[in-house]
């Protein structure tokens, strides 16, 4: 996968690394409230190839770019894509390792801006490439923490750590149960006979960073009003009912969502996980208010299918993709019926997983 680097820079790279996107099955907007999440890695990945540069600047080229982006050491690029890479370089430097100018090539089959953590995949792949290049002693949890810092400090999204932990530690065969407070992880097998279907609503996510930061602030304000360090510490949903709006609904989503994740991983019951995913979507729509009419329509079409155990939006919301838990042997049929119905209603959806249906 280093051919893009070679074709661009005329020599092989010094280090190549890749990292996957993720889809989250359950636990939305719980990570930055110290709660629990259940993502799984996707087959789609981002690959970053790096080589020591001759000159004094960094040169970054992605397959999607018409021209390379250049920046001097310590100079924050204007272009948002470049900021993620710059942030990763800064994180490595913050840990005391100098990073000399590099030629960097990025290629990816992970769609951007649909809620499947393309930014985390870029950050984790960049940090992995820098780790290999500099022989740095960084473990996968440290890589995730550095990736999250890069996103918060240089891309301006006060994200939690789910996406970076999933990209750094998850695989495509198991879900990754993560406690975002302790960073303890456990691989969790999907219920027997089930598989994950991911469909993009075709509506790009809009205003994600500002709306995301606003939700995060509302959660912090709810904590102040409840006198707790984080919403994770609220055990009973009833405890939030006395709050005024919007804090009541925001906190109710987080507290109930965290409980749903803990219930789901207490066994391996597909019917139960599906039901909890449906409840999660309703809570994201009504209490956290991060859904859109297209996401609601797509989720309803999925939920109407007898072979679908449950469905919800995935990631931050405000557009992007939906995830469904399906009976594995009927997933192809479900995908084509739902996409057909969605198109008839005017939507432009596209299938993103499972990979064997993408051919
Ligand atoms: C984005 C953030 C994550 C998480 C999800 C919502 O993907 O980057 O940290 O908060 O939204 O679950």
């Amino acid at each position: 996968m280093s051919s893009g680097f070679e074709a661009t820079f005329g020599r092989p790279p010094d280090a190549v690394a890749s990292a996957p996107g993720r889809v989250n099955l359950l636990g939305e907007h719980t990570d930055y409230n110290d709660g629990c999440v259940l993502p799984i890695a996707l087959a789609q990945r981002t690959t970053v190839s790096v080589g020591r540069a001759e000159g004094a600047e960094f040169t970054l080229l992605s397959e999607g770019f018409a021209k390379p982006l250049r920046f001097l050491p310590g100079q924050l690029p204007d272009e948002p894509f470049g900021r993620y890479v710059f942030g990763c370089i800064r994180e490595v430097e913050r840990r005391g390792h100098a990073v000399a100018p590099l030629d960097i090539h990025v290629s990816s089959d992970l769609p951007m801006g649909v809620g499947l953590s393309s930014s985390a995949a870029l950050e984790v792949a960049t940090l992995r490439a820098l780790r290999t290049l500099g022989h740095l002693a960084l473990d996968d949890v440290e890589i995730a923490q550095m990736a999250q810092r890069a996103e918060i400090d240089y891309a301006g999204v006060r994200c939690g750590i789910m996406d970076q932990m999933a990209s750094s530690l998850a695989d495509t065969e198991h879900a990754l149960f993560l406690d975002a407070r302790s960073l303890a992880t456990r691989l969790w097998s999907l219920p027997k006979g089930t598989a994950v279907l991911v469909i993009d609503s075709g509506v790009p996510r809009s205003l994600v960073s500002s709306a995301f930061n606003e939700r995060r602030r509302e959660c912090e304000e709810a904590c102040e009003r409840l006198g707790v360090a984080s919403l994770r510490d609220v055990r009973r949903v009833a405890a939030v009912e006395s709050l005024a709006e919007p804090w009541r609904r925001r906190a109710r989503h987080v507290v109930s969502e965290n409980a749903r994740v803990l219930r789901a991983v207490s066994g391996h019951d597909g019917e139960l996980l599906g039901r909890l995913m449906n409840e999660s979507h309703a809570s994201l729509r009504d209490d956290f208010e991060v859904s859109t009419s297209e996401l609601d329509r797509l989720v309803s079409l999925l939920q109407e299918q007898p072979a679908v155990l449950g469905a919800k939006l995935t990631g931050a919301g405000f557009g992007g993709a939906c995830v469904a838990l399906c009976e594995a042997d009927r997933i192809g049929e479900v995908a084509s019926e739902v996409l057909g119905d969605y198109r008839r209603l005017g939507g432009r959806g596209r299938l993103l997983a499972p990979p064997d249906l993408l051919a």
Side-chain angles (χ1 to χ4, degrees):
M1 280 289 281
S2 62
S3 55
F5 183 98
E6 209 159 339
T8 310
F9 297 106
R11 64 181 197 286
D14 297 318
V16 181
S18 71
R22 66 95 189 96
V23 63
N24 189 23
L25 302 179
L26 201 60
E28 299 301 357
H29 296 274
T30 47
D31 59 351
Y32 56 85
N33 288 296
D34 277 353
C36 297
V37 293
L38 194 61
I40 185 167
L42 292 170
Q44 289 93 333
R45 304 179 74 86
T46 294
T47 301
V48 174
S49 311
V50 297
R52 292 177 191 87
E54 301 263 298
E57 359 170 78
F58 288 84
T59 302
L60 170 62
L61 199 83
S62 162
E63 270 168 352
F65 287 9
K67 56 182 178 51
L69 184 72
R70 296 185 205 284
F71 54 94
L72 288 165
Q75 179 196 29
L76 181 66
D78 292 334
E79 157 65 48
F81 188 83
R83 291 179 171 231
Y84 294 110
V85 174
F86 176 85
C88 293
I89 294 167
R90 286 309 281 229
E91 275 305 303
V92 169
E93 289 174 336
R94 255 179 17 93
R95 294 197 172 219
H97 311 286
V99 183
L102 297 170
D103 292 331
I104 306 169
H105 183 270
V106 179
S107 61
S108 185
D109 59 356
L110 181 62
M112 280 171 51
V114 299
L116 301 179
S117 293
S118 57
S119 58
L122 173 62
E123 292 147 9
V124 171
T126 302
L127 286 162
R128 284 179 172 170
L130 295 175
R131 173 172 67 182
T132 305
L133 185 75
H135 306 286
L136 309 179
L138 296 169
D139 65 27
D140 293 340
V141 173
E142 289 175 293
I143 292 268
Q145 289 171 315
M146 293 164 78
Q148 182 200 19
R149 273 261 67 88
E151 178 137 358
I152 294 176
D153 290 350
Y154 298 100
V157 180
R158 294 183 61 216
C159 61
I161 200 163
M162 165 172 71
D163 303 347
Q164 292 79 8
M165 284 290 281
S167 186
S168 190
L169 284 104
D171 63 52
T172 55
E173 304 303 311
H174 310 85
L176 182 80
F177 169 66
L178 163 69
D179 179 332
R181 172 174 272 170
S182 65
L183 296 189
T185 55
R186 171 158 65 91
L187 291 177
W188 186 80
S189 317
L190 287 181
K192 231 180 158 44
T194 66
V196 173
L197 175 67
V198 182
I199 297 181
D200 175 20
S201 69
V203 179
R205 298 186 312 158
S206 58
L207 297 175
V208 193
S209 52
S210 57
F212 186 93
N213 290 344
E214 179 185 279
R215 290 296 182 282
R216 185 159 181 172
R217 185 174 39 75
E218 288 167 346
C219 290
E220 287 162 356
E221 290 165 355
C223 286
E224 278 166 33
R225 281 155 201 258
L226 290 165
V228 292
S230 76
L231 290 177
R232 157 75 174 271
D233 299 320
V234 180
R235 301 272 167 226
R236 289 173 317 107
V237 178
V240 308
E241 293 299 336
S242 60
L243 288 172
E245 297 297 359
W247 302 283
R248 183 174 73 103
R249 275 177 293 149
R250 304 296 186 253
R252 190 165 59 189
H253 165 72
V254 174
V255 175
S256 65
E257 183 80 350
N258 198 44
R260 281 187 280 275
V261 178
L262 294 174
R263 247 190 108 195
V265 298
S266 65
H268 287 275
D269 179 344
E271 298 278 337
L272 175 65
L273 174 57
R275 219 167 39 243
L276 294 166
M277 289 169 76
N278 292 342
E279 286 174 17
S280 168
H281 185 78
S283 176
L284 287 161
R285 180 191 61 212
D286 302 334
D287 279 349
F288 219 63
E289 297 180 286
V290 293
S291 191
T292 64
S293 53
E294 293 84 1
L295 287 171
D296 291 343
R297 189 178 316 144
L298 188 51
V299 165
S300 300
L301 291 173
L302 285 160
Q303 289 172 342
E304 281 162 19
Q305 290 283 326
V308 168
L309 301 162
K312 58 182 270 296
L313 67 82
T314 189
F318 313 105
C322 296
V323 60
L325 188 72
C326 282
E327 290 172 20
D329 53 1
R330 297 185 53 199
I331 200 160
E333 183 187 320
V334 168
S336 61
E337 280 187 27
V338 169
L339 280 167
D341 290 345
Y342 188 62
R343 279 186 200 123
R344 272 189 288 284
L345 293 171
R348 284 192 305 141
R350 101 185 124 135
L351 183 68
L352 295 172
D356 46 335
L357 292 183
L358 292 173

